[in-house]
Amino acid sequence: LSQIRAGEGKSLEALKLLKSATVDLEVGLNADPANRMARFECARARLEQGIRTRQNGEAAEAKISLEKVASILDPKIIGSDLMNEEKFLLARSKYQRGLLERDGGKIEESLATLIETAKEMGEIVMGSSPRNQDQALNLAETYTEMAEIIATHFGSADAIEAHNQAIPILFELTRLHPEWAEAKYLLARNYGSIASLDRDTGKTSEAQKKKQDAIELINEVLADQKDNPRYQFALAKLRGEYAELLSDAGRTKEAQPIIKQAIASLEQLLGGETEISPLPERRSWQIQLATFCGVQGHAAQMSKATDLAKTSFSKSLSIWEKLATANPNDPIVQQGLSWTKGRLEKRK
């Protein structure tokens, strides 16, 4: 029932139901601690609770739930080695701990956790049935998150290596299941991220091609799931980044309607929200909106549309300033704030 409510977008009701189910499962486990199935279901409920509370910005509660997964599946308590299914559930909880560390700005700790997670998942996936494709998808997702963290904070070479671990898995999954939305979504994210890395190394034509491929994949996903906000955000992000590529190549007239569309999509997703969200996902949307307003300002300035340039840079600065107040130690936010201030200063 909790999963149904979550699918309907009723996140608070879904979480309430999940917490109630978790309590009942733990009561049952305490009454029959030797019941291996009850133990697994209890750990699975705790993992799901950790995922949802992390997504809701409740970091402390998420940390407690994810730590309980490890204590429930402790081999010393069970009295025997863990089965592969149990090991993989533990690895998934470790993956979520890595995302929790990332959300909290602990970038090096997050990367170390994700690298360890990928190693553990990889060992299980390589030795499991070829039919166990959900685990393969989880492994590809871990590589994707690793790659994006590396690209943002450390450098391109290692990021590309991580992307190249994810892409063959996702390519095979989409070949076997052409309608698998999540596999297509992750493949599009990888293509889009590699395109950005290509741009940074001067491979403009390759970057444009990969970005177009990524946009095509996300459009295919949205054809069947047009109301999914994660997929909507992915499309807006890819469109804005493609517009930035066009602007860099001097094709500002082509870039302007695309970046305008990306900004409108993000504003629609945020629903007019002007204060900085405590939810990690929505905060990332706000960061992207600030970035694209700056891109729009740059493209407008290159096209001599001075009024639009000033309006766009000012709007970008307003968002960056709010983000900096809420997250003063975030280097991405400080970089965006500094860049936008510089562009506005040059216009005076």
Side-chain angles (χ1 to χ4, degrees):
L1 186 56
S2 173
Q3 289 181 337
I4 292 171
R5 292 293 178 267
E8 293 170 345
K10 300 174 181 177
S11 57
L12 292 178
E13 184 182 348
L15 183 57
K16 184 178 179 180
L17 287 166
L18 177 62
K19 287 181 177 180
S20 176
T22 303
V23 170
D24 292 341
L25 284 165
E26 288 179 345
V27 169
L29 179 60
N30 290 333
D32 186 10
N35 188 323
R36 196 77 169 252
M37 181 59 70
R39 186 168 292 277
F40 181 80
E41 289 301 320
C42 190
R44 194 160 69 92
R46 272 293 175 184
L47 170 61
E48 189 61 32
Q49 189 170 321
I51 292 171
R52 295 193 198 175
T53 49
R54 181 191 69 77
Q55 291 170 341
N56 287 349
E58 302 170 41
E61 189 170 347
K63 185 173 184 289
I64 290 169
S65 287
L66 295 172
E67 286 173 348
K68 284 193 174 182
V69 176
S71 64
I72 293 167
L73 293 179
D74 186 344
K76 293 178 182 177
I77 295 175
I78 294 173
S80 66
D81 292 338
L82 297 181
M83 296 180 289
N84 277 349
E85 192 174 17
E86 294 165 332
K87 288 179 181 177
F88 201 84
L89 191 67
L90 270 179
R92 287 182 60 206
S93 72
K94 185 175 289 186
Y95 168 72
Q96 289 296 325
R97 291 208 311 272
L99 297 187
L100 193 60
E101 290 163 346
R102 179 205 63 189
D103 296 343
K106 299 176 181 178
I107 302 303
E108 291 187 1
E109 294 94 324
S110 172
L111 182 57
T113 300
L114 293 177
I115 290 171
E116 190 176 334
T117 300
K119 181 180 178 182
E120 292 174 4
M121 284 186 174
E123 289 173 355
I124 297 167
V125 169
M126 293 306 110
S128 67
S129 165
R131 294 189 299 275
N132 203 345
Q133 290 155 8
D134 287 329
Q135 290 185 354
L137 185 74
N138 290 145
L139 175 59
E141 184 178 17
T142 302
Y143 279 126
T144 303
E145 291 289 352
M146 277 174 53
E148 291 177 352
I149 289 173
I150 293 168
T152 302
H153 298 280
F154 299 101
S156 61
D158 289 335
I160 289 174
E161 183 179 342
H163 282 303
N164 287 338
Q165 294 290 333
I167 286 174
I169 299 171
L170 296 167
F171 190 79
E172 180 64 9
L173 291 176
T174 55
R175 184 189 68 81
L176 293 170
H177 304 283
E179 303 306 316
W180 196 351
E182 195 66 15
K184 278 187 175 181
Y185 160 73
L186 285 173
L187 186 57
R189 271 179 63 184
N190 278 272
Y191 283 167
S193 295
I194 288 182
S196 296
L197 294 170
D198 284 343
R199 173 205 175 203
D200 293 343
T201 54
K203 300 175 183 175
T204 307
S205 60
E206 292 95 325
Q208 290 180 7
K209 176 64 169 63
K210 288 190 181 78
K211 203 71 80 173
Q212 288 172 324
D213 289 343
I215 290 170
E216 183 179 345
L217 276 171
I218 286 294
N219 274 321
E220 289 176 10
V221 172
L222 280 166
D224 295 321
Q225 300 198 35
K226 62 180 183 298
D227 296 325
N228 186 302
R230 278 195 312 133
Y231 301 158
Q232 290 173 341
F233 171 71
L235 180 59
K237 181 174 185 290
L238 288 166
R239 280 177 173 163
E241 290 169 345
Y242 181 60
E244 189 172 12
L245 284 169
L246 294 176
S247 182
D248 289 346
R251 297 160 62 185
T252 53
K253 287 187 178 180
E254 293 175 66
Q256 285 177 5
I258 300 173
I259 193 65
K260 182 179 179 181
Q261 185 181 26
I263 289 171
S265 296
L266 289 171
E267 289 176 334
Q268 185 176 0
L269 275 171
L270 288 164
E273 186 174 354
T274 57
E275 297 306 311
I276 300 307
S277 175
L279 307 184
E281 182 179 52
R282 292 183 71 82
R283 190 163 62 244
S284 73
W285 297 354
Q286 291 168 322
I287 288 173
Q288 205 64 63
L289 178 59
T291 300
F292 287 162
C293 287
V295 171
Q296 184 180 51
H298 174 72
Q301 189 164 307
M302 295 288 288
S303 301
K304 310 297 183 186
T306 55
D307 289 344
L308 178 59
K310 182 179 179 180
T311 301
S312 299
F313 283 133
S314 296
K315 185 175 180 180
S316 177
L317 180 62
S318 175
I319 301 169
W320 284 125
E321 286 176 338
K322 290 179 181 179
L323 285 163
T325 300
N327 307 277
N329 299 318
D330 189 326
I332 302 300
V333 171
Q334 292 301 325
Q335 182 180 350
L337 178 62
S338 177
W339 182 87
T340 308
K341 279 183 176 178
R343 295 305 296 265
L344 277 171
E345 283 295 324
K346 287 179 182 178
R347 292 187 50 77
K348 291 181 180 179

